[in-house]
Amino acid sequence: MPLLTSVLVRGINNLSDARYCAGMGADYLTFRLDPALPGYLEPALVQELSGWVAGVQLVGEFDNLSIPEINELASRCGLHYVLMHRRRTPEELAQLAVPALKLIKWIPDMLAEDVEKRFRDQQAHVAGFVLAQAPPEPLTAMQRAQLTQQARMYKLWLGTSFADANQTVRQLVEEVQPTGIVLEGGQEIKPGLRDFTELEAVFEQLEEE
């Protein structure tokens, strides 16, 4: 069944997650291909996992690797996008073989004009922004209004934690209208056995009625 919005699932590290998320309608699956990142996967395993799924965009997450190293891995693993943790210069981003998404953090005390400048300065060089984790404290009404305005102007994928205690993920999507929602992959209980309760609950909320 079609989903209300795009879904990006981060940290895929097993075949159960890859096949389940692809089958439920996720658009993007990310793999951590930089040895500096927790959950790093060997390129050979990424190639193996991606060979079992179809109809999804493959994304590599990177932090410290050089642009030539990223491009080599993008080619070897058949990546469609990269998700950059560390900010790169426009010149570096222009050398990437595939489009880049940028992982950014929500900074609660950052002035609205500084947030706007951060988006504006980078938007010409990336395909979108991923805010995977909301701050510990619930957003104020003003912060949520600002986030909604930013989602109208920029391509934003939001983590499910941006839905507050009184709001479902579906309501978050309907209110803020982000480009997409970010989910997190998990661990298998044992090879081939995985509890999908949490992921299933979100996918069900995102199904079009």
Side-chain angles (χ1 to χ4, degrees), residues 24-183:
M24 292 297 288
D27 298 295
Y28 304 86
L29 304 181
T30 87
F31 306 91
R32 293 180 179 135
L33 280 158
D34 191 321
L37 296 175
Y40 162 73
L41 295 186
E42 292 286 348
L45 179 55
V46 174
Q47 289 175 298
E48 179 182 349
L49 294 177
S50 63
W52 286 92
V53 297
V56 293
Q57 303 287 294
L58 307 178
V59 184
E61 294 198 32
F62 297 99
D63 189 5
N64 294 330
L65 291 185
S66 69
I67 298 300
E69 290 173 313
I70 293 172
N71 284 340
E72 192 277 330
L73 286 168
S75 175
R76 194 195 316 180
C77 297
L79 302 181
H80 302 96
Y81 289 85
V82 293
L83 176 57
M84 308 298 282
H85 286 227
R86 182 165 57 85
R87 188 166 178 175
R88 305 296 180 108
T89 65
E91 292 74 21
E92 288 179 301
L93 293 172
Q95 296 173 37
L96 286 170
V98 296
L101 300 167
K102 179 66 179 70
L103 184 69
I104 60 176
K105 293 181 179 179
W106 179 279
I107 304 175
D109 57 356
M110 196 171 185
L111 295 175
E113 53 266 33
D114 291 336
V115 175
E116 172 65 23
K117 185 177 187 301
R118 180 173 62 163
F119 283 129
R120 189 173 61 247
D121 288 350
Q122 298 182 66
Q123 72 162 337
H125 312 291
V126 298
F129 301 94
V130 176
L131 287 87
Q133 188 64 46
E137 296 297 323
L139 300 188
T140 65
M142 181 176 293
Q143 288 174 326
R144 188 164 289 275
Q146 291 170 347
L147 179 62
T148 302
Q149 179 63 26
Q150 291 155 3
R152 302 292 188 273
M153 300 175 64
Y154 308 103
K155 292 183 177 181
L156 302 184
W157 278 263
L158 300 179
T160 56
S161 56
F162 278 90
D164 61 34
N166 300 313
Q167 184 181 51
T168 65
V169 174
R170 185 184 187 93
Q171 289 168 334
L172 171 70
V173 169
E174 292 174 341
E175 176 193 346
V176 180
Q177 297 181 27
T179 300
I181 287 293
V182 183
L183 304 181

